[in-house]
Amino acid sequence: TEPVPSMRTGSARTLRIVTVVGARPQFIKAAAVSRVIRDHYGGLIEELLVHTGQHFDDNMSRVFFDDLDIPRPAYNLEISGGRHGAMTGRMLEAIETVVLDERPDWVLIYGDTNSTLAGALVAAKLHVPVAHVEAGLRSFNMRMPEEINRIVCDHCSTLLFSPTSTGFQNLVREGFLPNAQPPYHINNPKIYHCGDVMYDNCLYFADMAETNSQILQQYGLSPEKFILTTIHRDSNTDQPQRLEAIFSSLIRLTQNTQLPIVLPIHPRTSKVLKSKLQPET
């Protein structure tokens, strides 16, 4: 494989990619792509990882970089907390500075978070092409902040990688051409049904987890005899009646199946539960 022509100089050289991540799912997705870049394209692609700080505590951030062998961020913007607009605004300003300083050929984004949105908007406005991993996914619920982020990011992108055929067809229905021809750019984007990098990670880490993980022994669990649950969407955690209904259902489920429930609790969920358990004064 020959070096890719630079979008800045037109000469053959190492391709520079700025990858924007900030939340737990993006760390996991980045592990798969960054691993391939490192192992197979080390002399051809230079990747600079930008961590916005959206998820910042050890259980939501550092542990993933350690356990999944993700490259250490070249930039840690330490931006977290606040309302959606304020958080995204601070990210826009900080990511813009990084992109102007590093002058990448591409900005790579994952998923549907505020970090993803900020990366897409900055790159598009600076005329840097965007590659979006996990494009085309839709809930068709515009009350979800993630749905707005998905749509905006897709329509800012030049290369759109959909994990599912349904996602690919969603993009076609939104006007993306399934047979677009190069050269690709924001006005002539290319869409792909590429498969799911999360499945790639499952295949890659399965044997490693089975060999190295002590989590079952730590919690006295038997293989395939427990129920794994996560609860973190704000539409669930921030509505008391819905959250109560979820936990009531989980209680019935464990009573009916006689299987323990394992709940790796999200900080948002933990905060809400603690507030509900505090005695009234």
Side-chain angles (χ1 to χ4, degrees):
T1 305
E2 295 298 322
V4 180
S6 168
M7 300 192 69
R8 290 174 288 180
T9 66
S11 60
R13 59 151 187 81
T14 301
L15 190 76
R16 174 173 286 186
I17 296 175
V18 162
T19 296
V20 178
V21 296
R24 175 184 57 178
Q26 295 164 338
F27 307 148
I28 302 171
K29 295 179 181 75
V33 177
S34 296
R35 182 172 62 248
V36 173
I37 292 174
R38 179 191 64 210
D39 293 347
H40 300 285
Y41 298 95
L44 302 175
I45 299 176
E46 176 190 9
E47 182 185 28
L48 300 173
L49 204 68
V50 176
H51 183 355
T52 65
Q54 186 171 341
H55 284 170
F56 60 91
D57 64 34
D58 287 350
N59 287 329
M60 297 294 284
S61 178
R62 191 178 70 180
V63 65
F64 291 95
F65 286 85
D66 292 341
D67 291 351
L68 302 184
D69 195 24
I70 305 170
R72 291 297 170 183
Y75 295 87
N76 194 327
L77 306 181
E78 299 183 350
I79 298 170
S80 64
R83 296 182 182 274
H84 286 285
M87 177 192 289
T88 306
R90 299 200 307 274
M91 289 178 181
L92 285 168
E93 183 176 14
I95 294 172
E96 183 178 59
T97 299
V98 172
V99 172
L100 288 172
D101 288 345
E102 296 294 347
R103 300 177 65 224
D105 298 293
W106 289 83
V107 168
L108 175 61
I109 57 174
Y110 295 90
D112 54 20
T113 68
N114 289 336
S115 300
T116 309
L117 177 65
L121 288 174
V122 165
K125 288 177 178 290
L126 294 177
H127 308 299
V128 177
V130 174
H132 187 196
V133 174
E134 210 176 60
L137 302 188
R138 298 290 183 267
S139 67
F140 303 102
N141 178 7
M142 293 296 289
R143 293 180 64 87
M144 293 178 62
E146 295 87 353
E147 185 76 352
I148 297 170
N149 294 348
R150 292 168 190 148
I151 294 170
V152 173
C153 291
D154 281 343
H155 288 268
C156 288
S157 296
T158 292
L159 299 180
L160 298 91
F161 300 101
S162 178
T164 67
S165 58
T166 300
F168 185 91
Q169 291 305 318
N170 288 338
L171 294 171
V172 173
R173 281 192 293 271
E174 290 179 15
F176 291 89
L177 300 178
N179 298 312
Q181 298 299 311
Y184 304 125
H185 47 76
I186 193 169
N187 290 318
N188 183 42
K190 178 64 174 177
I191 61 176
Y192 299 90
H193 174 205
C194 63
D196 192 351
V197 294
M198 296 294 266
Y199 181 61
D200 294 332
N201 272 330
C202 287
L203 296 176
Y204 182 83
F205 288 112
D207 291 340
M208 189 183 305
E210 189 170 353
T211 302
N212 298 332
S213 176
Q214 300 298 314
I215 194 73
L216 297 183
Q217 295 88 332
Q218 181 180 348
Y219 290 101
L221 299 170
S222 300
E224 301 182 13
K225 293 184 178 180
F226 60 92
I227 299 168
L228 180 64
T229 306
T230 63
I231 305 167
H232 68 278
R233 292 281 185 193
D234 56 4
S235 57
N236 289 325
T237 62
D238 296 353
Q239 297 189 33
Q241 289 183 331
R242 182 171 294 178
L243 188 61
E244 182 177 352
I246 290 171
F247 275 93
S248 295
S249 298
L250 290 176
I251 292 170
R252 289 196 302 272
L253 179 62
T254 191
Q255 290 172 340
N256 292 336
T257 63
Q258 296 299 302
L259 294 175
I261 291 177
V262 178
L263 178 62
I265 198 157
H266 190 283
R268 179 191 298 127
T269 313
S270 177
K271 181 179 179 180
V272 172
L273 290 175
K274 287 179 180 177
S275 69
K276 301 302 179 186
L277 293 174
Q278 293 297 326
E280 296 184 2
T281 57

